[in-house]
Structures are given as C-alpha cells and as structure tokens.
C-alpha cells in the first residue's frame, strides 16, 4: 500500500475545514456596524484550507519519504507502539467520567494508582509502592489547593453522602 | 521614577513571602531544567496553577525563578552525565562534559554557573534599558500596525520552529481558529458552539496551553515502555564542589566572549520563538570561529562552556523585552506569563510599563534577584537532582498528569476546563507525532483574539484596507512577515545558488523602504545604512556571479 501519512492528514484537515466553513454560515449577524462575527474565522479557515491543499499536493507530488508501511497499518503493531499513550488517554477519560461521583481526592488517588500500576507493572511490591505514592502525592496536592490556595475541588457524591 | 523602583524593590526583596516563593521557584526550575524530557516551559506551565492565589508580582516572580533556574539546571545534567537536560544546554555538553571527564568537574560547573549568572545580568541591564524605550515606540502603533506585528510574530515562529513550513503555518492557523470558538468579543455572537453551552465561553487559554504542551509531552515521555520504567538517568554523577573563584577569574579574562555570547542570546530572545535552544548553539559557533584555540573546542575548552551558558540565560532577558514592551510573547514561557497577567486582569501591551509601573519594575527586579538565587541554590539543588534522577519517568508522568487536572480545575472551578486540556493534549500528541510544530499553534491561540480585535478596530476606523500597507510600521511588519516565511527556503537553498546570495541584501533594501517613510532622522539614518549595506552586498554578490 502506497499511502502517505501527510496525504491522509491533509484530507482529514480539508474535511475539517469544510465542516467549519459550512458551520461559519450559521454564525448570526446582529446587524451592527463594523466587522461581522464570521469575517475573521472565515479568513482563517480559507487560509487553512489553502495550506492544507498545498500540503496535500506536496504529499502527492514529492518522493515518498513517510509512506505508511505495512507495520503502521497492522493494528497490533499500532497498539503496541502507542500502548502507554492509549492507557493514559483511557485512564484520564475514566477519571473525568467518574469525577462527579468520586471527587478529586478519591478520583485522583485511584487515577494515579491505576495509571502507575498499568504503566509500571502488577507485581505485589510495586502495587504497594504505587498505592503509597498515589496517596501521598494526591494527598499533598489536594491539601495545598484546598487549604493553601482555598480552591474548592470537586468533593464527589461519595464523600458528600458520607 | 525612583519611588516606583524603590517600591518595586521592596515588593520583591523586602517581602519574605515573595522571596520564599522565588526560592522554591528557582529550585523547581533548576530541577525541571536538569531532568531530560522535562523542559523549562513545562516547569513554568506547571507552576502556573499555584500562582492563581498569589498577587501578580508574586506570581510573575515565582515564574521568573523557574525560568532563570531552568536555564542553569540544564548545565548540571549535561556536565555530569553528558545528557543535556534541556535543548538550551546542548552546546554546553560539547566542552562541559570533556572538561568534567578531564578531572575538573568543579571548574566546569563553576564556569557554567557563573557564565549563566553574568549572561543573565547583562541581559537584565539591557532589559531595563531597552523595554521602556521599545514600549515608547509601541505607543506609535495603531490597530493596523499591531495586527501586522501579530502576523509577523506568527510567521517568524513558524519559520524558526523548524521542520516543514506548510505544517508550521497550518499549526499557527489551527491555533488562530481555536481562539475563535465561543462568543466573539466584539458582537457577543456565538461561533462554532454546535449547541453546547460550555463552548460559549470559548476555550480558556491555559487549559489549551497545558494540554498542548505539558499533557502531550508527558504522553511522549512514557511512550517507550522500557525507558518509562527505568530511572531518569542511568548515571547521575556525584556531588561536586564548585570552584567559584577560579571560574569567575577565567570568565572575566574572557569578557569579549561573555559579552558577544550574551548579546547573541538577547537578540535571539527578542525574536519570537527563537529561544535558548538556538542561542546556545549560535553563541558556541561564534566563540569557536573567534577563538585562537579553535582546535581545542570539543576537548574541554573554557570558551566552549562560557559561550552557550551566557547565551542561554541572556535569552530569557531578550524574551522578556518583547513581552514587557509590546505584549508579544517571545517564546512559550513568556506566553504563559502573558496568560498569568491576564488572570490578574492585566493586559500587557505598549502601555503596560506606564500603566503598571510597579509590576513592570517588579518583574525587572525579580529577574535580577532570580540570578542570585540560581547561584546560591546550585549546590543544594545538585543533591536533590541526584535523588530525583533515581525516579522512573512513569511515576513522575502519572503524578504530574493528575496535578495538571487539579491545576486546570483551579483556574475557573469548572470540570469542562479539564476536558479541554485533555482534548488539546490528545491533539498536541498526535500533531507532534505527525511532524507539526506546537509553538506556532500555541502562539496562534494566545494572539488570535488580539489579532481579531485589532483587525476589527482597524476596519472600524476606516474601510481603507490599503492602510495596512501605507502605514510605515504596518508595512515594515508585513515585509518582515514575508521575509520570515521565505527564510526556511533560504536555509535550505544551496550556498552558491542565486537565491541564497541575493536573499539577505534584497531583504535589507526592501526593509529600508518603510523606515524611510517614517520620516524621523534616526530611522532615516538606519534606512540609509540598510540600503548602502544591502546595495554593497548585492553588488559584490552579483559581481562574483559574473567575474567577466
């Protein structure tokens, strides 16, 4: 397969520009004098579209230097290459999704503990170390922000009921 | 004026809280600069949430501590282990590490430390002298000129951030677009909200910045499973006694190198996006060219340590000049400081020094003081550095990711900001993987609203768009923008090509035009010098093309 990464990115960005330009037609015009609200975004999107087109043409015309090889399209290889980044994404999404229920203190401890264990390994000694690290670090940060900087961090429904 | 300076001095030096914060900031900066994979910008970004509850002076003084400390932190790891802690200390490794290996670690560290100190002091003096003058110049700017200046800042960021210029421009434009989401500041009309109420406020600048820069960097740091699990450094060196006296004497004997390198650092810092990573290599290169001991470079030559370290600390002062005088960030760190000022409802711009003299002079003094902390804390931070290097990256990354979430929430007390940080973190990570530079996007987000506001003001005052090219300052910045866009092609061109030979002289001649239009005697003289120099080079290079 002889597809270049830049070609795919340029097509994706052109699609993005198309959707946003289409959406810019929905920007309301209150009829005031002066520059319309849609003027500046339209200029930016038009320039962005032109640059994406240049990138697309360049990626098609130039010699293949960043072709997608079979290793890049193999899902298993992609997974192992980005495994740790994907774990971070996933753990962060879970942390955010449950933030309202768990709050920043419990949610933060569980997030750090979970991420440390997923990235660092599941041996008992490490798990104990990860648990201690997560409690101490989040405890310190939570205390600094709550008592030192007077920030009201999300308490979470669990602690509220308790 | 003296009153203001004394008050500003008192607000920094006589306030134990501010001094304590600067102490912690400098220590954190030295450590952030020393750890490979962490950058100074990341250190400053992570400090930001702690500054929300401080006064503007305290917040900026703390960040300046991190900024100044970060530059000198890089020299510890590069000298003791041969691995540069930050890109700003790459050139220090060339002679610093061989000097350590030759059995003079104390002298090597002393040379690096005191060169950083003197470089920083020279740039601090230039900062104090130049920033108010440049701000006076900025008072001449109308919205047309300011808009063109922003365009120039963006294009030069693109051309100096390295890599593909098309991708750099796309990144900058994506940043400008991200800044348009939400209600516009002129008419209050919602844009690109797609029915979500949360989007109406737009993306707050700091979650975007922390996501794009810190979040994506942490993901990159833990990408390699083996590296993420091993300690930050396999060899972390040993505690060394710094030879202060001898180092100072050697540096002062080589004062020409010190001043030349410091001025290279200041000039590089003034250019948007050209930070310490460029200045340390430029200064090293110039020191090598000017040295009679050229063959000793790479083997532990003193000048090879003095030049990059003086230059990278001087860069900090240069970057501050643009931020203080015109409200245009010189790099990512000053962009964060700009954000910190905005949190305190202070809008930097040409009138900033006049409107907020206490804060402005407070920044100047904090920049001076931070250098003394840097020298004083080096020995102490060396011990902490040796401890920190034993921690694996995955532990640091996991804890800092959680800290980013808490810090971002603290900005407006809304969970939506954490989602914004996450979203831009993912975007930043993939952009890096696909070869897009992040600096233009960050600058686009920071300057987007300012660009739109000035464009609206300009078109509100007059429908005549020719004012963008008929006003001398606006024309000057637009020409600079065009020249900076062409600059990467000049770098790639063969040295003997016609384009390569004519680029610099023609640029000089073209830039003289708006200066002539300005009319003032000094600018006319500068313009004449530019034309004569450009003309001379043009004549010489055309003659060399056709010797017959």
């Amino acid at each position: 397969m002889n597809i270049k990464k830049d070609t795919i990115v340029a097509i994706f960005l052109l699609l993005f520009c198309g959707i946003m330009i289409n959406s810019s037609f929905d920007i309301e015009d209150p009829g005031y004098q002066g520059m319309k609200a849609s003027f500046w975004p339209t200029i930016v999107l038009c320039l962005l579209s032109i640059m994406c087109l240049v990138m697309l043409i360049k990626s098609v015309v130039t010699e293949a230097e960043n072709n997608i090889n079979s290793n890049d399209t193999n899902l298993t290889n992609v997974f192992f290459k980005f495994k740790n980044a994907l774990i971070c994404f996933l753990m962060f999404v879970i942390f955010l999704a449950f933030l309202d229920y768990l709050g920043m203190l419990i949610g933060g401890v569980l997030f750090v503990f979970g991420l440390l264990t997923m990235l660092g390994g599941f041996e008992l000694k490490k798990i104990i170390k990860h648990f201690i690290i997560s409690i101490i670090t989040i405890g310190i940060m939570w205390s600094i922000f709550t008592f030192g900087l007077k920030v009201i961090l999300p308490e979470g429904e669990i602690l509220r009921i308790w | 004026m003296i009153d203001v300076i004394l008050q500003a001095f008192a607000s920094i030096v006589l306030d134990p809280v501010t001094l304590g914060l600067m102490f912690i900031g400098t220590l954190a900066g030295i450590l952030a600069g020393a750890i490979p994979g962490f950058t100074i910008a990341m250190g400053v970004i992570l400090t930001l949430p702690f500054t929300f509850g401080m006064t503007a002076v305290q917040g900026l003084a703390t960040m300046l501590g991190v900024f100044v400390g970060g530059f000198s932190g890089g020299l510890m790891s590069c000298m003791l282990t041969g691995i540069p802690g930050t890109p700003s200390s790459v050139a220090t490794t060339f002679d610093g590490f061989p000097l350590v290996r030759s059995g003079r670690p104390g002298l090597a560290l002393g040379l690096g430390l005191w060169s950083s100190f003197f470089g920083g002091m020279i740039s601090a003096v230039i900062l104090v002298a130049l920033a108010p003058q440049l701000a006076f110049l900025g008072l001449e700017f109308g919205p047309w000129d300011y808009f063109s200046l922003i365009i120039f800042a963006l294009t030069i960021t693109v051309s100096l951030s390295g890599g593909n210029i098309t991708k750099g421009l796309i990144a900058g434009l994506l940043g400008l677009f991200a800044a348009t989401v939400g209600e516009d500041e002129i008419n209050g009309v919602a844009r690109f909200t797609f029915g979500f109420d949360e989007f109406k406020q737009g993306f707050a600048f700091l979650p975007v910045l922390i996501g794009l820069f810190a979040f994506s960097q942490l993901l990159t740091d833990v990408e390699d499973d083996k590296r993420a699990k091993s300690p930050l450094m396999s060899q972390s060196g040993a505690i060394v006694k710094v030879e202060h006296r001898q180092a100072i004497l050697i540096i002062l004997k080589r004062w020409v190198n010190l001043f030349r390198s410091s001025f290279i650092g200041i000039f590089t810092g003034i250019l948007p996006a050209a930070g310490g990573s460029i200045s340390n290599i430029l200064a090293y290169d110039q020191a090598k060219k000017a040295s009679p001991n050229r063959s000793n470079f790479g083997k532990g030559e003193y000048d090879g340590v003095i030049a990059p370290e003086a230059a990278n600390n001087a860069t900090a002062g240069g970057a501050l000049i643009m931020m203080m005088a015109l409200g245009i960030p010189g790099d990512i760190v000053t962009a964060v400081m700009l954000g910190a000022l905005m949190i305190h409802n202070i809008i930097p711009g040409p009138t900033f020094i006049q409107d907020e003299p206490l804060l402005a002079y407070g920044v100047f003094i904090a920049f001076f003081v931070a250098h003394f902390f840097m020298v004083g804390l080096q020995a102490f931070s060396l011990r902490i550095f040796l401890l920190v290097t034993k921690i694996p990256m995955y532990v640091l990354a996991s804890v800092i990711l959680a800290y980013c979430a808490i810090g971002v929430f603290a900005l407006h007390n809304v969970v939506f900001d954490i989602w914004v940080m996450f979203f831009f973190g993912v975007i930043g990570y993939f952009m890096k993987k696909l070869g897009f530079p992040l600096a233009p996007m960050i600058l686009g987000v920071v300057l987007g609203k300012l660009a739109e506001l000035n464009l609206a003001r300009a078109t509100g005052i007059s429908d005549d768009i020719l004012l963008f090219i008929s006003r001398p300052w606006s024309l000057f910045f637009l020409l600079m923008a065009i020249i900076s866009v062409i600059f990467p092609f000049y770098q790639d061109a063969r040295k003997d090509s016609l384009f390569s030979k004519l680029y610099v002289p023609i640029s000089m001649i073209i830039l003289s035009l708006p200066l002539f239009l300005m009319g003032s005697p000094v600018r006319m003289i500068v313009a004449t010098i530019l034309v004569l120099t450009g003309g001379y080079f043009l004549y010489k290079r055309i003659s060399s093309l056709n010797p017959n």
Side-chain angles (χ1 to χ4, degrees):
Chain A
M1 197 156 60
N2 193 22
I3 309 169
K4 290 171 196 166
K5 278 181 200 168
D6 282 2
T7 312
I8 296 173
V9 174
I11 292 170
F12 172 79
L13 283 171
L14 277 169
L15 277 172
F16 171 79
C17 288
I19 294 167
M20 290 304 154
I21 288 173
N22 184 48
S23 167
S24 72
F25 294 126
D26 298 335
I27 295 172
E28 199 186 323
D29 176 14
Y32 303 142
Q33 263 197 331
M35 201 170 91
K36 286 182 183 173
S38 60
F39 182 70
W40 174 243
T42 309
I43 290 178
V44 172
L45 285 168
C46 288
L47 287 172
L48 187 58
S49 307
I50 292 167
M51 292 319 299
C52 294
L53 209 59
V54 171
M55 186 178 160
L56 180 65
I57 294 166
K58 268 172 75 177
S59 71
V60 171
V61 172
T62 51
E63 285 290 310
E65 57 180 32
N66 58 350
N67 283 5
I68 295 176
N69 56 37
S70 52
N71 277 344
D72 288 339
T73 50
N74 185 326
L75 271 180
T76 322
N77 287 339
V78 171
F79 175 77
F80 277 107
K81 195 175 168 188
F82 296 107
K83 190 189 85 182
N84 283 353
L86 286 172
I87 289 172
C88 292
F89 291 154
L90 195 71
M91 291 299 292
F92 206 85
V93 169
I94 295 171
F95 161 65
L96 279 178
F98 286 94
L99 193 60
D100 286 343
Y101 303 100
L102 299 172
M104 195 62 93
L105 184 61
I106 296 174
V109 170
L110 289 177
F111 167 72
V112 174
F113 173 68
L115 193 54
L116 282 172
T117 310
M118 294 285 280
L119 295 177
F122 290 89
E123 297 105 75
L124 185 65
K125 203 176 152 190
K126 276 191 173 175
I127 290 177
I128 295 168
K129 199 170 86 179
H130 294 160
F131 187 66
I132 296 168
I133 292 171
S134 53
I135 288 191
I136 292 175
T137 53
I138 293 297
I140 291 172
M141 277 189 264
W142 187 85
S143 307
I144 290 173
F145 278 90
T146 306
F147 303 116
L149 302 173
K150 309 280 180 213
V151 176
I152 303 165
L153 294 170
E155 192 182 13
E157 283 183 19
I158 289 183
L159 279 182
R160 217 172 296 147
I161 293 165
W162 211 13
Chain B
M1 180 59 74
I2 299 289
D3 282 3
V4 175
I5 295 171
L6 286 175
Q7 273 186 57
F9 183 81
S11 71
I12 301 284
V13 179
L14 301 181
D15 182 7
V17 178
T18 311
L19 282 181
L21 291 168
M22 284 192 75
F23 174 90
I24 298 167
T26 313
L27 188 63
I30 294 174
L31 291 174
I35 298 171
F38 274 49
T39 56
I40 301 164
M42 194 156 157
V44 176
I45 289 171
L46 295 177
T47 314
L48 187 62
F50 287 114
T51 67
F52 298 159
M54 302 174 193
T55 63
V57 174
Q58 286 174 342
L60 283 175
T62 312
M63 282 193 223
L64 279 169
V66 181
F67 194 17
V68 171
F71 278 115
S72 73
L75 75 93
M76 277 196 312
S77 62
C78 82
M79 284 188 179
L80 298 179
T81 68
I83 305 162
T86 63
S88 318
S89 54
V90 169
T92 314
T93 320
F94 303 157
D95 280 279
F97 191 51
L99 193 58
V100 171
R101 294 287 290 267
S102 68
R104 307 293 305 271
L107 180 64
L109 274 177
L111 283 176
L113 182 64
W114 285 100
S115 305
S116 298
F117 177 82
F118 288 125
M121 283 293 124
I122 293 168
S123 82
V125 172
I126 301 291
L127 167 69
V128 175
L130 201 63
Q133 304 309 320
L134 203 62
F136 275 122
L137 212 65
L139 293 175
E140 291 176 17
F141 295 176
W144 306 268
D145 314 314
Y146 217 70
F147 177 79
S148 302
L149 172 63
I150 292 167
I151 300 298
F152 164 59
L154 278 171
T155 54
I156 197 167
T157 308
V158 170
S159 68
L160 293 180
S161 54
N164 186 321
I165 186 127
T166 315
K167 286 184 176 176
L169 285 169
I170 289 174
L173 287 162
L174 280 173
L176 288 178
F177 175 72
T180 65
V181 175
E183 285 179 355
D184 86 312
E185 288 191 13
I186 301 134
N187 300 308
V189 174
R191 301 183 295 199
F192 310 109
T193 55
F194 301 101
F196 293 100
D197 282 344
E198 289 90 345
F199 281 23
K200 280 187 181 168
Q201 295 302 314
F203 301 129
F205 152 66
L206 292 170
V208 173
L209 200 128
I210 293 176
L212 274 177
F213 201 81
F215 197 96
S216 67
Q217 179 65 46
L218 290 168
L219 295 183
T220 313
D221 288 341
V222 295
E223 203 174 61
D224 182 343
D225 210 32
K226 207 175 154 193
R227 253 188 57 203
K229 283 179 187 164
S230 38
L232 286 168
M233 282 184 190
S234 50
Q235 38 173 157
S236 55
I239 290 175
V240 174
K241 196 172 182 302
V242 181
E243 295 174 28
H244 292 284
R245 196 171 159 272
Q246 204 182 348
I248 293 170
L249 288 174
I250 292 172
I251 294 166
L252 293 180
K253 270 186 196 160
R254 291 153 198 263
W255 62 273
V256 177
N257 182 19
L258 175 72
F259 274 89
R260 183 185 48 237
S261 306
S262 303
F263 282 108
I264 289 173
I266 294 165
F267 177 72
T268 319
I270 290 173
L271 292 177
S277 53
I278 294 175
S279 71
N280 80 103
I281 292 173
L282 273 179
Y284 181 85
D285 187 47
Q286 290 305 313
K288 192 176 174 181
K289 280 178 183 157
S291 173
N293 308 322
R294 215 177 291 181
S295 58
N296 280 352
F297 272 75
K299 297 173 189 163
E301 170 63 33
Y302 298 154
D303 277 325
V305 179
I306 296 168
E309 281 307 313
N312 66 22
N313 267 65
T315 309
L320 281 173
I321 290 173
M322 279 296 271
M323 186 198 95
M324 300 288 289
L326 302 175
I328 300 290
D331 57 6
I332 294 169
V333 174
T334 41
V336 180
M337 288 186 188
L338 210 75
L341 283 175
M342 286 171 181
I343 290 169
H344 292 279
N345 291 324
I346 297 161
I347 309 294
T351 57
F352 171 63
I353 297 176
Q354 274 189 340
D355 295 346
E356 301 280 348
L358 212 59
L359 182 56
Y361 283 93
V363 169
F364 296 152
I365 288 161
F367 188 64
F368 270 106
V369 174
H371 282 87
F372 289 92
F373 273 116
M374 177 195 83
V375 171
L377 283 171
Q378 199 76 15
F380 177 56
S381 57
L382 192 60
R383 289 169 197 276
I384 301 179
F385 164 69
L386 296 177
L387 285 175
V388 172
T389 50
K390 294 189 176 104
I391 301 171
M393 180 51 91
Y394 82 91
V395 174
L396 275 184
S398 305
V399 172
I400 294 174
L401 277 177
Y403 163 69
C404 285
I406 297 177
V408 162
F409 178 84
L411 180 63
H412 296 125
N413 286 15
V414 282
V415 176
F416 177 69
D417 280 348
I418 311 179
W419 280 106
V420 170
M421 179 194 76
F422 172 68
F423 176 68
F424 278 93
V426 176
I427 288 179
Y429 177 72
F430 284 109
M431 279 179 74
K432 264 164 93 171
K433 292 279 129 205
L434 295 165
F436 288 88
L438 291 182
M441 182 160 180
I442 290 171
L443 230 68
V445 174
V446 177
L447 298 176
K449 283 202 163 74
L450 214 57
E452 185 179 7
L453 205 65
N454 279 290
L455 183 64
R457 279 183 193 150
T459 51
I461 294 168
S462 168
D463 287 340
D464 185 6
I465 56 163
L466 284 177
L467 281 167
F468 283 101
I469 48 171
S470 61
R471 285 179 63 94
W473 272 120
S474 178
L475 178 64
F476 178 78
F477 290 128
L478 289 178
L479 289 173
M480 288 282 281
I482 294 168
I483 290 168
S484 65
V485 167
I486 302 170
F487 181 71
F489 300 104
Y490 163 71
Q491 278 185 310
D492 291 343
R494 275 185 20 241
K495 279 200 170 166
D496 55 348
S497 68
L498 182 69
F499 171 68
S500 171
K501 286 187 171 173
L502 301 186
Y503 173 79
V504 175
I506 289 182
S507 299
M508 288 169 92
I509 295 169
I510 288 174
L511 279 179
S512 68
L513 176 72
L515 291 174
F516 275 122
L517 290 174
M518 286 177 197
S520 94
V522 178
R523 291 169 206 178
M524 297 279 264
I525 293 168
V526 175
T528 312
I529 293 169
L530 273 176
V531 169
L532 291 175
T533 320
Y536 172 73
F537 282 123
L538 195 62
Y539 169 74
K540 289 277 281 181
R541 285 171 188 187
I542 288 175
S543 318
S544 71
L545 285 174
N546 189 8
N548 298 324

